[in-house]
Amino acid sequence: MSLYDHLKLTAAFAGAIQQYLQENSITDYEEALLKREKNFVKKKVFLLVAFDISGVNDFIYTITSEGAYKQLRSRAFYVSIINEWLSDTLLDRCNLTRANLLFSSMGKTYFLLANTCENKEVISNLEKAFNEFLAKTYSLKLQVHFGMSEVSANDLQNNNMQDKYSGMFENIEQQIKNKKLSKGSGKILRMLNSEVPLDGRECSVCHSISNLERDTSKCYFCMKLEKFSNAIQQEENFVVNGQDGGLPLGFDKYLHALSNDGILTSNDITYTKNKFNIGSQPKTYLWIPDYSDLEKNEFNLYVERNWTDRGIKRLGALICGIDDLKWAMLAGFSEQNGGMFMSLSRSSTLMRRLNMFLQVYLNSFAKEMKLKGTFIHSNGGEIFILGAWDSLLDFAMEINKKFAEWTGKKMSVSMGLGIFSKKIPINVISEKTKLLYQVAKNNDGDSICLFDQNICYNLEDFTENVYGEKFSEVKEFFDNTNEKGSSFIYTLIDLLRNSTNKLSFARLVYCLAKVEERITDKTAFKKFSDKIVEWFNDPMEAMNLELALMIYVYKNRRENSRGK
């Protein structure tokens, strides 16, 4: 554990303990905390609290209008700001600091608060008021749900029992699940049922019937977001205050972009994105994976591929997520010395380090590789990226390598990589890529599912056997031979798909013999053909070779070639 994490949690515990003592009119700290320590550590002094913002994926990706892609990153950033703003509001109303914000995991943000009646009332009122704001602004697309567990110092210390430690978090998770089953309070439902579409219209971007702007085809929020999109993606500093004109955050507060000079002197709540600023006023430093090689959100450029005359013209979508994140948080240390290292402090450190990988280092990896892609959204240990499909495939291999180094191979990632035509709506792209990702997760994790649900590999097998050995052999041969036509490759693919047929091997030998007649470099061809024959006779190797050939074709196909 780092000294930073140790001191941060010490401050969190101290602030919570002080509030508990004050509410219970305990003024003799020495008597309560030192002389009667064994009794105090058994008391339910603390509240372990979490909130979850549901509906995030629908809010970000269920947009189908012309130019909808341009709002993706702005919507994702807005959700991140809502999460931070709600966290700050909760801590401010509980008179605590960001030291009491523990970590974010699995889409939930966790806090350590004092177990006081005042804090419980704050949580209840905040949840109710914020959901009313979300319902009024976005119908029921976004909702926030809180859960809490009363815990003692003994519950949080080292040498904890796994079921007892996990139970605290599972209790919170169950509360949140139960609240999700209910679509809001009676007041919210009555308000939504009373809404009448303006002249029978709905927003052309998000399909909302609420807050439609007259003389436009959009709602209030989509209009605001459209005007604010450039600032969201280009500016680094933001402020929250009561001046209308920015993006609504609830409680009559709005988000505005701010200059570097302005943020140094602002007395309002300020956020700085991916940059440390020197100044006397307190700020919240946000680390958001926001890399993009595009000046504007013209994602069709990834399809047009104007940087090369090769490769299929498709948009790539990649979802990468950390495997077993819940297990890592709840039981990651349980197998070491009988669970003596299980504690809130280690869980907090682990989550912070994992978040650092996704939120900080992925930006730098993408810059180093000059990734032709754009980070859209990161949440709950997952990241969604759009870009050139072949560049995303290379980046996926780099993420796997870097994450193995980061965790000492104690943890792994899973990935789903899809390719789509430019006419496919973003919500369909999102859903299909999620399906590929889920197939990889269900393959015991540490896997990649690409292009199709039936193409799923363990990442090590794919890296070494397909994208390593097979693809390298295919690329070396076809890049350095006079056999430039694609008919040979397609014939090989057809034969490999039927490699179990007894006649297929004879057809393969005949095909290789005919190709050899027109090959100039006989030595190179013999080496390649010997490998083909060897792999052909092994069903698994044949399948690996088929995928390697497909990837090579996808990377090198020209605009007017077969299979357009």
Side-chain angles (χ1 to χ4, degrees):
M1 282 187 60
S2 71
L3 179 60
Y4 165 79
D5 288 305
H6 176 73
L7 294 177
K8 179 177 180 291
L9 279 167
T10 299
F13 285 121
I17 289 172
Q18 183 186 37
Q19 287 190 348
Y20 178 86
L21 294 174
Q22 288 175 342
E23 182 172 275
N24 289 275
S25 302
I26 299 173
T27 57
D28 191 339
Y29 293 177
E30 182 179 9
E31 175 69 22
L33 303 179
L34 298 179
K35 293 181 180 180
R36 303 186 64 186
E37 177 187 351
K38 291 183 179 180
N39 180 58
F40 187 82
V41 295
K42 296 177 184 178
K43 292 182 178 181
K44 303 295 185 180
V45 173
F46 306 103
L47 273 182
L48 191 60
V49 179
F51 71 74
D52 172 272
I53 299 177
S54 63
V56 169
N57 284 334
D58 286 342
F59 177 77
I60 295 175
Y61 300 112
T62 308
I63 47 178
T64 58
S65 67
E66 184 74 21
Y69 281 72
K70 297 180 180 181
Q71 282 201 14
L72 284 178
R73 297 176 71 205
S74 300
R75 284 175 171 263
F77 177 75
Y78 179 71
V79 170
S80 298
I81 284 291
I82 282 182
N83 192 92
E84 299 297 335
W85 162 242
L86 186 57
S87 298
D88 284 330
T89 303
L90 172 63
L91 293 169
D92 180 62
R93 294 187 179 187
C94 290
N95 294 310
L96 292 169
T97 70
R98 278 220 164 208
N100 294 81
L101 194 163
L102 297 177
F103 53 81
S104 292
S105 173
M106 302 171 291
K108 299 177 182 65
T109 303
Y110 289 86
F111 306 82
L112 182 74
L113 310 179
N115 184 11
T116 64
C117 294
E118 184 177 351
N119 285 344
K120 289 179 180 178
E121 185 177 359
V122 165
I123 293 169
S124 177
N125 292 338
L126 183 62
E127 182 178 27
K128 179 181 177 182
F130 203 70
N131 275 326
E132 289 178 3
F133 156 71
L134 292 175
K136 182 179 179 181
T137 312
Y138 316 111
S139 295
L140 287 176
K141 285 186 178 135
L142 292 174
Q143 283 187 292
V144 62
H145 306 288
F146 279 83
M148 66 184 82
S149 283
E150 297 181 352
V151 296
S152 67
N154 276 346
D155 296 330
L156 300 173
Q157 68 178 0
N158 291 357
N159 202 21
N160 228 321
M161 298 299 292
Q162 179 182 334
D163 56 347
K164 184 179 179 182
Y165 184 75
S166 301
M168 300 183 299
F169 294 91
E170 289 171 354
N171 178 35
I172 292 173
E173 189 169 327
Q174 190 58 50
Q175 291 177 45
I176 292 174
K177 283 183 179 179
N178 291 339
K179 289 181 178 180
K180 285 183 178 181
L181 295 176
S182 172
K183 286 294 184 181
S185 66
K187 179 179 179 181
I188 290 175
L189 293 176
R190 285 192 297 272
M191 179 183 68
L192 293 175
N193 288 331
S194 66
E195 290 180 345
V196 178
L198 186 65
D199 300 327
R201 294 186 292 113
E202 65 178 24
C203 177
S204 62
V205 177
C206 69
H207 308 297
S208 172
I209 62 172
S210 304
N211 305 311
L212 294 177
E213 295 286 286
R214 292 191 178 275
D215 302 322
T216 74
S217 61
K218 298 172 185 175
C219 67
Y220 166 80
F221 175 74
C222 288
M223 289 285 290
K224 288 274 188 183
L225 193 64
E226 186 176 281
K227 294 177 181 178
F228 203 57
S229 285
N230 287 338
I232 285 178
Q233 294 169 37
Q234 296 175 10
E235 300 296 337
E236 297 171 330
N237 309 312
F238 302 88
V239 62
V240 176
N241 56 38
Q243 298 177 15
D244 198 353
L247 289 178
L249 294 177
F251 313 116
D252 297 322
K253 298 292 184 181
Y254 301 87
L255 180 71
H256 304 266
L258 199 62
S259 66
N260 283 329
D261 291 337
I263 201 169
L264 295 177
T265 58
S266 174
N267 292 317
D268 296 309
I269 295 177
T270 54
Y271 297 96
T272 296
K273 182 178 69 171
N274 296 339
K275 181 180 179 181
F276 278 118
N277 282 282
I278 299 173
S280 59
Q281 303 301 322
K283 304 168 189 64
T284 298
Y285 298 102
L286 305 180
W287 300 103
I288 297 175
D290 65 345
Y291 170 87
S292 179
D293 69 325
L294 301 176
E295 291 185 5
K296 298 180 180 180
N297 294 316
E298 299 292 343
F299 296 113
N300 281 339
L301 293 176
Y302 296 133
V303 181
E304 294 168 7
R305 299 177 66 86
N306 55 15
W307 61 88
T308 180
D309 62 351
R310 299 186 176 217
I312 56 172
K313 295 193 172 184
R314 297 290 188 273
L315 177 68
L318 174 69
I319 294 181
C320 174
I322 299 172
D323 293 327
D324 297 321
L325 192 57
K326 181 178 179 179
W327 181 91
M329 184 185 78
L330 299 183
F333 302 99
S334 62
E335 298 178 5
Q336 299 178 350
N337 289 26
M340 70 172 294
F341 296 119
M342 284 187 65
S343 66
L344 188 64
S345 56
R346 284 186 172 83
S347 295
S348 180
T349 299
L350 175 63
M351 291 303 108
R352 184 178 66 83
R353 297 283 287 175
L354 292 176
N355 286 334
M356 185 182 295
F357 180 88
L358 286 177
Q359 297 170 355
V360 179
Y361 290 105
L362 283 192
N363 271 332
S364 61
F365 299 154
K367 290 176 183 177
E368 289 171 6
M369 288 187 63
K370 297 181 179 179
L371 172 69
K372 292 191 179 300
T374 298
F375 294 170
I376 302 299
H377 183 51
S378 175
N379 182 49
E382 300 173 3
I383 187 166
F384 182 78
I385 312 172
L386 293 176
W389 69 270
D390 49 344
S391 188
L392 291 185
L393 179 56
D394 291 335
F395 189 57
M397 298 301 97
E398 184 70 9
I399 292 175
N400 182 48
K401 175 186 173 184
K402 296 290 189 183
F403 192 73
E405 295 172 355
W406 184 250
T407 62
K409 295 187 177 181
K410 296 289 173 56
M411 297 184 70
S412 62
V413 292
S414 289
M415 307 177 185
L417 174 62
I419 52 176
F420 307 91
S421 74
K422 63 181 180 180
K423 296 180 181 180
I424 303 296
I426 184 59
N427 57 322
V428 176
I429 290 175
S430 171
E431 288 301 321
K432 289 191 173 182
T433 309
K434 275 189 228 172
L435 186 57
L436 297 176
Y437 171 65
Q438 196 57 52
V439 170
K441 296 280 280 188
N442 293 339
N443 192 44
D444 294 327
D446 194 16
S447 300
I448 182 169
C449 182
L450 59 165
F451 311 149
D452 184 271
Q453 295 178 53
N454 297 315
I455 306 177
C456 186
Y457 281 83
N458 172 272
L459 271 164
E460 184 176 356
D461 289 342
F462 178 80
T463 303
E464 295 181 0
N465 297 329
V466 179
Y467 209 49
E469 181 186 29
K470 308 292 186 303
F471 180 78
S472 296
E473 290 283 353
V474 168
K475 186 176 188 304
E476 180 182 0
F477 173 75
F478 284 103
D479 283 357
N480 298 285
T481 182
N482 61 322
E483 180 58 35
K484 297 300 183 183
S486 61
S487 61
F488 178 35
I489 296 180
Y490 284 109
T491 300
L492 285 177
I493 291 175
D494 290 338
L495 289 169
L496 288 164
R497 286 175 178 171
N498 298 282
S499 60
T500 56
N501 188 311
K502 293 181 180 180
L503 292 177
S504 293
F505 184 73
R507 292 186 183 124
L508 174 69
V509 174
Y510 176 77
C511 173
L512 292 175
K514 295 297 290 182
V515 172
E516 186 177 16
E517 293 176 1
R518 58 178 184 264
I519 291 292
T520 303
D521 190 343
K522 305 294 184 183
T523 302
F525 180 76
K526 185 175 188 314
K527 175 188 173 185
F528 181 68
S529 62
D530 286 347
K531 286 285 189 181
I532 295 293
V533 171
E534 176 189 343
W535 293 330
F536 191 89
N537 289 316
D538 184 317
M540 182 59 69
E541 297 287 40
M543 183 176 68
N544 294 344
L545 176 59
E546 179 191 339
L547 180 56
L549 287 166
M550 284 174 56
I551 294 174
Y552 183 81
V553 170
Y554 287 174
K555 280 177 172 280
N556 290 275
R557 194 168 73 188
R558 295 179 186 273
E559 179 67 21
N560 295 318
S561 65
R562 176 182 173 182
K564 178 181 173 183

